[in-house]
Amino acid sequence: MSVSVPIHSLEELKSWKIVTSRSKLEVGEQCFVAWESGVLKDCMDKNVPKTLICHDMKGGYLDDSLIEGCSNSKAYNFIQWSVIDIFVYFSHHFITIPPPCWVHAAHIHGVPILGTIITEWDDGAAICRKIFSSKDSVDEFVSSITDLTLHHNCDGWLINIENPLEEKLIENLIYFLRRLKQELIFAGNCGKIIWYDSVTKEGKLDWQNELNEKNKDFFDACDGIFLNYVWKHENLKNSVLMAGDRIIDVFVGIDVFGRNCFGGGGFNTHEALSVIRQERLSAAVFAPGWVYECHPVEEFEELSFKFWSLIFPYLNVHGPTSLPIRTSFCPGYGLSKYISGQLAEKQPWHNMSKQQLQPCLAAVRGLYDFKNETDKLQISKSGSEVPTYGNQKLCLTDAFNGGGCLIIQSPCAAIFPLFFCKIPIKQPMILAIVFKGDNKQQLSVNLKFTQLKSSHPTYISCPLTPETKQFNSTVTDVSHCAFTISSMNYDSRCDQMVGNLFRSIASSSSWETRLFQIAMSDQNENSIFLRSIVIESQRETECKIGYLCCF
């Protein structure tokens, strides 16, 4: 049985390097290609406050350490990727390497995932003396960490020095931060380095709870600082002044366990987030697994939605930025396994390496409780009434592929936003959907497009009616760009992109498929962008969505 483990000592790190010797170029290209083919988002480049999630649960490496997965379908799971910006896998071991299942789930959603390098107490001080004694020893450590990073395909590190240091070592510590980032980027990695607010530039273990002269040298040497949790309003304002134009690189800590934390953590975490966002600072939410650890496992799903719904108004929503988009909505666990709509194996399982791209609003089951968020997300048609938003949730009793599918429900006409995108469209696009349910003649998949030279969006509709085979329509927007939407049959291109998925559906299956081609008259490079994918119902509906693909 393959198990993911941390590294406990410098000696163990050196042994790992000898056993797994590989050229930096080889693993560097491997890591880069993995990211390039993933679903990347652009919100990291926007000048908006970010959200870092630091996952700390019972020492780490629980069911998630089993690389082939386990049979505990109730193990901790995470599907809230579309509303976070950075994920850190944390434990109190010397070098915490994110297990492969977390790396997979983060990357298919375009979220950078970091490991943790931590030193603590007297043992930590001894390790620091060895690493930072000279630039040569720093270079050796950086080389090992770079190889480790590339081999495990993570995107950087949270650096947490929680022990005093001799002041003479500080110069080499700062050299380490700069050198590690430089080497990772040179090797084709994201190279994201975050510093935890712990020791000062004098080497004292003295948490500042703000960005100031005592910790700014570390901040200047890397991508951001994770502030300690015991802050007050004044600390936030001081941090804003000190950060200058790097304000969004200040991640203000929030301990969900509430230990001396503003607002008390738990289901009051949103109170701290509200204050942090008022100052336009980023946030580092520590241990949201509190919902799982401190409550009955049977209540985790409901309480998780409660937690994320409360903090949702303060988060960014992001989605795919490149084609293809492919998902069966599988969360990475289930009570059974399905293949092409047929039950393949009836036993519980859990493996986040099998997780598929989740809808952008999976964290909060859709927007039906968030009417005030619709303007921010720009979903509605211009001039239209505020629509009703339907419920979206996970179904574990049925699936097209994997352990679950998406179910959409509403007692009346409603829309169900699935993905918010910024995808350049350079050629005719194919949309494929697999679904089942009543009232399908009232359902459609709606797409929103924008043009680079125009702020006016174009909305097109692909009806899921049984008469879709005869469907053909042309929509012309205000910029005189014609969108021709037509149904289509399977062709070799469909088979190539989805691996004969549709052809493999048994004739007895109750799942239905629809394929559409969307062609544009103006195919200027990067001039047309797909901005959202929404399902709309004209009446009461309950429908399962088993698969969605755009290419």
Side-chain angles (χ1 to χ4, degrees):
M1 180 182 292
S2 300
V3 180
S4 180
V5 295
I7 289 178
H8 302 89
S9 66
L10 278 173
E11 292 70 29
E12 192 174 320
L13 177 62
K14 292 176 182 178
S15 298
W16 179 91
K17 185 177 181 181
I18 294 170
V19 171
T20 61
S21 177
R22 303 173 68 185
S23 71
K24 288 184 183 179
L25 180 61
E26 179 188 355
V27 290
E29 287 179 344
Q30 203 174 56
C31 177
F32 179 77
V33 170
W35 261 105
E36 188 176 52
S37 62
V39 183
L40 301 178
K41 61 189 177 65
D42 67 333
C43 78
M44 289 303 295
D45 298 325
K46 294 179 180 177
N47 189 29
V48 295
K50 305 297 186 293
T51 303
L52 179 153
I53 293 296
C54 194
H55 177 67
D56 174 43
M57 180 176 289
K58 300 180 181 179
Y61 301 98
L62 305 173
D63 292 306
D64 56 2
S65 70
L66 302 173
I67 294 176
E68 286 83 20
C70 67
S71 61
N72 178 18
S73 63
K74 295 187 180 299
Y76 182 76
N77 195 272
F78 187 85
I79 60 172
Q80 288 79 21
W81 300 104
S82 65
V83 292
I84 73 167
D85 303 290
I86 302 172
F87 186 90
V88 177
Y89 193 82
F90 181 91
S91 78
H92 287 275
H93 303 290
F94 174 38
I95 300 175
T96 300
I97 306 165
C101 63
W102 284 103
V103 175
H104 164 83
H107 282 180
I108 65 168
H109 293 90
V111 175
I113 181 167
L114 314 185
T116 303
I117 299 174
I118 186 171
T119 61
E120 300 176 285
W121 313 108
D122 293 341
D123 288 344
I127 290 174
C128 288
R129 281 193 292 271
K130 291 179 181 178
I131 296 173
F132 305 125
S133 60
S134 68
K135 285 187 169 53
D136 287 342
S137 60
V138 169
D139 288 342
E140 181 182 359
F141 184 60
V142 166
S143 179
S144 297
I145 295 297
T146 300
D147 286 343
L148 189 75
T149 309
L150 298 177
H151 178 79
H152 289 279
N153 200 23
C154 55
D155 306 297
W157 299 90
L158 171 67
I159 310 298
N160 188 358
I161 308 297
E162 293 211 60
N163 48 259
L165 289 174
E166 292 91 339
E167 190 170 356
K168 64 183 180 181
L169 301 179
I170 297 299
E171 180 181 347
N172 285 340
L173 171 54
I174 293 174
Y175 171 74
F176 160 69
L177 297 174
R178 296 185 185 278
R179 182 71 174 173
L180 179 59
K181 180 173 179 62
Q182 179 186 54
E183 284 295 298
L184 288 174
I185 291 176
F186 178 75
N189 187 267
C190 291
K192 189 165 290 296
I193 307 298
I194 305 292
W195 173 260
Y196 180 65
D197 165 32
S198 46
V199 297
T200 67
K201 65 180 182 180
E202 295 88 11
K204 296 178 180 178
L205 182 58
D206 187 10
W207 300 269
Q208 298 300 297
N209 302 295
E210 67 177 27
L211 179 64
N212 59 31
E213 290 292 349
K214 292 185 178 183
N215 55 26
K216 190 172 183 294
D217 289 346
F218 306 111
F219 175 72
D220 291 340
C222 56
D223 295 290
I225 186 169
F226 181 147
L227 295 182
N228 191 45
Y229 316 101
V230 193
W231 47 265
K232 297 179 173 59
H233 284 82
E234 183 180 355
N235 299 118
L236 301 187
K237 294 185 181 299
N238 292 341
S239 298
V240 169
L241 293 175
M242 184 61 64
D245 59 2
R246 288 190 63 198
I247 183 173
I248 63 172
D249 296 332
V250 178
F251 293 84
V252 182
I254 307 172
D255 182 4
V256 180
F257 276 84
R259 292 161 288 202
N260 298 314
C261 179
F262 184 96
F267 294 116
N268 290 325
T269 296
H270 64 285
E271 294 183 10
L273 259 173
S274 173
V275 174
I276 292 167
R277 295 303 198 227
Q278 287 173 24
E279 301 295 337
R280 289 193 54 78
L281 291 162
S282 293
V285 181
F286 184 78
W290 167 86
V291 178
Y292 185 90
E293 285 191 60
C294 297
H295 300 86
V297 172
E298 294 75 18
E299 298 178 16
F300 171 62
E301 183 178 352
E302 287 301 320
L303 294 180
S304 179
F305 282 119
K306 176 182 178 179
F307 177 85
W308 288 95
S309 295
L310 286 167
I311 67 175
F312 174 73
Y314 309 103
L315 307 179
N316 303 313
V317 178
H318 59 79
T321 59
S322 64
L323 294 180
I325 299 173
R326 280 191 295 243
T327 181
S328 60
F329 304 99
C330 175
Y333 64 97
L335 304 175
S336 304
K337 288 183 181 178
Y338 293 79
I339 299 176
S340 298
Q342 301 295 312
L343 180 64
E345 190 175 325
K346 190 170 179 58
Q347 62 180 19
W349 64 280
H350 190 285
N351 187 351
M352 283 176 57
S353 291
K354 305 297 183 183
Q355 187 176 93
Q356 292 285 304
L357 184 67
Q358 296 296 302
C360 286
L361 299 172
V364 292
R365 290 182 171 171
L367 283 177
Y368 62 103
D369 283 334
F370 298 96
K371 307 303 182 186
N372 60 334
E373 292 300 305
T374 58
D375 289 340
K376 183 174 75 173
L377 296 173
Q378 297 179 336
I379 322 167
S380 305
K381 295 181 180 180
S382 178
S384 64
E385 296 181 2
V386 177
T388 297
Y389 293 95
N391 188 10
Q392 305 176 34
K393 65 180 182 179
L394 180 66
C395 172
L396 290 181
T397 58
D398 197 4
F400 184 69
N401 273 321
C405 63
L406 181 69
I407 186 167
I408 58 174
Q409 299 170 313
S410 177
C412 58
I415 67 171
F416 307 86
L418 299 185
F419 296 105
F420 302 103
C421 325
K422 187 179 180 182
I423 301 176
I425 305 299
K426 302 177 183 179
Q427 61 186 20
M429 188 182 83
I430 307 299
L431 168 69
I433 184 169
V434 177
F435 65 102
K436 67 166 67 169
D438 298 327
N439 302 324
K440 47 186 167 285
Q441 66 273 15
Q442 301 293 330
L443 291 174
S444 62
V445 181
N446 295 348
L447 307 177
K448 174 184 174 182
F449 293 90
T450 59
Q451 286 188 274
L452 189 63
K453 297 178 181 179
S454 172
S455 60
H456 299 284
T458 298
Y459 298 88
I460 67 172
S461 179
C462 302
L464 302 185
T465 63
E467 295 78 27
T468 299
K469 290 181 180 179
Q470 288 75 45
F471 171 73
N472 191 66
S473 177
T474 298
V475 175
T476 302
D477 73 355
V478 293
S479 300
H480 307 292
C481 173
F483 292 76
T484 301
I485 311 100
S486 56
S487 62
M488 60 178 292
N489 295 318
Y490 312 119
D491 63 13
S492 59
R493 192 151 63 106
C494 293
D495 288 343
Q496 181 181 3
M497 293 303 298
V498 299
N500 293 310
L501 178 66
F502 301 113
R503 291 183 183 273
S504 65
I505 301 176
S507 58
S508 61
S509 172
S510 57
W511 292 97
E512 299 185 52
T513 66
R514 300 285 187 272
L515 284 87
F516 302 89
Q517 178 173 273
I518 297 97
M520 289 135 283
S521 62
D522 182 0
Q523 290 283 308
N524 295 329
E525 186 174 357
N526 295 326
S527 63
I528 298 174
F529 294 88
L530 174 64
R531 301 309 301 263
S532 66
I533 302 175
V534 171
I535 294 180
E536 182 172 3
S537 171
Q538 299 299 325
R539 54 179 293 184
E540 175 184 0
T541 190
E542 180 169 324
C543 180
K544 295 175 183 176
I545 312 298
Y547 186 82
L548 182 76
C549 180
C550 291
F551 56 92

